[in-house]
Amino acid sequence: MTDITRFRADFKAAFAHWRKSGEVSEREAAQQYSEAAAAVQEHMHDEGWMECAGAHFRRIVEQIENESRRASQIAAAVRGQRAKQ
């Protein structure tokens, strides 16, 4: 996946997660997404800025993925304990 493709995927995934988890309302998500998209448009030719922004969203998505994996592990452990009872 190219850097810009990864950035776009991470960017969208982060906003989708924040909206789905209720961290931001639909209205707030739309506004913040729009503002962030405008910042990307403004700085898209600044390699350093894009690299930093890409790394920022990659860390966010990695954290979301880790939390999701951990939640799945906990749920599986709980199901396993219940099955033993």
Side-chain angles (χ1 to χ4, degrees):
M1 192 178 294
T2 64
D3 289 343
I4 191 68
T5 303
R6 164 60 60 198
F7 175 78
R8 285 180 178 147
D10 289 344
F11 184 83
K12 289 178 180 180
F15 275 92
H17 172 76
W18 293 329
R19 179 62 198 113
K20 182 180 174 186
S21 67
E23 290 183 46
V24 293
S25 69
E26 185 175 343
R27 185 179 191 189
E28 290 170 320
Q31 179 184 357
Q32 289 178 13
Y33 187 93
S34 178
E35 290 171 5
V40 169
Q41 284 291 325
E42 182 179 339
H43 298 284
M44 68 187 305
H45 299 292
D46 180 343
E47 233 176 271
W49 189 93
M50 289 297 292
E51 186 176 313
C52 184
H56 173 73
F57 280 97
R58 177 86 300 251
R59 281 189 305 273
I60 290 169
V61 170
E62 286 173 348
Q63 182 181 9
I64 292 166
E65 290 168 346
N66 289 338
E67 290 171 359
S68 179
R69 237 183 331 276
R70 181 71 180 133
S72 294
Q73 291 170 345
I74 291 169
V78 168
R79 282 191 300 274
Q81 287 297 320
R82 287 183 180 162
K84 289 180 183 179
Q85 295 175 356

